[in-house]
Amino acid sequence: MNDVDWGVRAAAWELAALSFRYPGAELAGAVASGEWAAAAREIAAALGLALPEGLGEGLSGRSGPGDASAEGLRPEATRLFVGAPEPACSPYEGVWRAADDGVRALLFVNPHSMGVERFMRSCGLGRPEGTNEPLDHVATECELLEHLALRAAGAEPPEGAPAGSDLPGGSPAAAYGAFLEEHARAWIPRFAEAVAAESRVPFYRDAAAFLGAIVAQ
């Protein structure tokens, strides 16, 4: 795989992470302006991925089902990913894989969430200061894959990060592949399918299609 491929993969995961963080002005502006859909199509073309026809159509900053303003996206993001009392589509790996194991999921202290945390620490990453969110959130896992793809593309590691040979598997590319197989692909395809089926807002159906395509690539 050449440097250009890794750079495009990093951009794909960056866009996916933005899509599944709680929506703010950056995401809303990109969606309403058409920049999000244009970036998704460009990345898909570069990676040879198939996305649904009409991706991004019907989105605007106006009130209604296609309202892509932050105020329009937040109620659906809350329903899908936060919920009261339960989200429609949990964004945490540990919840999905606990269900696979037939046990009740406990955030932070389940073996899958703890495995993600150990993997991130082995890559020199951890929970940002001042936050208390489990590291197995879908957006955080996308950010890890973005980080490893950038390192595989030759980007300088952050200060204090382990050398490439000290990453899991002995290189950024090996660490990327290991995390994809051991964690991301074990649950994100099903999460993406659930979001696409459950969402009442066009943007999250589009974001789910994009996420499902890149994790399977």
Side-chain angles (χ1 to χ4, degrees):
M1 187 175 296
N2 58 40
D3 290 347
V4 172
D5 292 326
W6 282 117
V8 175
R9 285 173 187 270
W13 292 113
E14 180 182 22
L15 187 63
L18 174 65
S19 303
F20 288 97
R21 283 288 178 210
Y22 197 69
E26 181 183 5
L27 175 62
V31 176
S33 68
E35 291 178 10
W36 183 94
R41 287 192 294 266
E42 182 177 352
I43 289 167
L47 294 177
L49 307 179
L51 294 179
E53 291 186 17
L55 182 132
E57 291 181 2
L59 298 174
S60 70
R62 299 185 296 275
S63 179
D67 184 356
S69 68
E71 293 76 14
L73 294 176
R74 283 173 185 157
E76 182 68 347
T78 299
R79 186 183 74 84
L80 289 172
F81 311 128
V82 181
E86 299 292 334
C89 304
S90 175
Y92 298 106
E93 177 182 339
V95 172
W96 285 84
R97 299 189 69 183
D100 294 340
D101 296 338
V103 299
R104 181 170 174 266
L106 297 173
L107 296 182
F108 293 104
V109 290
N110 67 80
H112 303 294
S113 300
M114 294 169 70
V116 171
E117 185 163 352
R118 285 193 299 271
F119 196 103
M120 290 195 177
R121 285 179 176 170
S122 72
C123 295
L125 304 174
R127 188 173 292 107
E129 187 175 349
T131 66
N132 194 36
E133 183 177 88
L135 292 177
D136 61 333
H137 188 283
V138 60
T140 306
E141 293 199 5
C142 290
E143 288 169 352
L144 173 62
L145 289 163
E146 175 197 358
H147 169 81
L148 293 172
L150 284 171
R151 291 204 60 179
E156 287 294 321
E159 185 176 352
S165 59
D166 293 328
L167 292 171
S171 72
Y176 177 98
F179 189 82
L180 198 61
E181 293 301 326
E182 295 169 14
H183 291 281
R185 283 184 176 154
W187 74 284
I188 288 179
R190 291 177 291 155
F191 167 78
E193 288 177 1
V195 173
E198 178 67 30
S199 181
R200 301 167 184 168
V201 171
F203 167 69
Y204 284 112
R205 292 195 291 272
D206 289 346
F210 178 74
L211 177 64
I214 63 172
V215 79
Q217 203 267 341

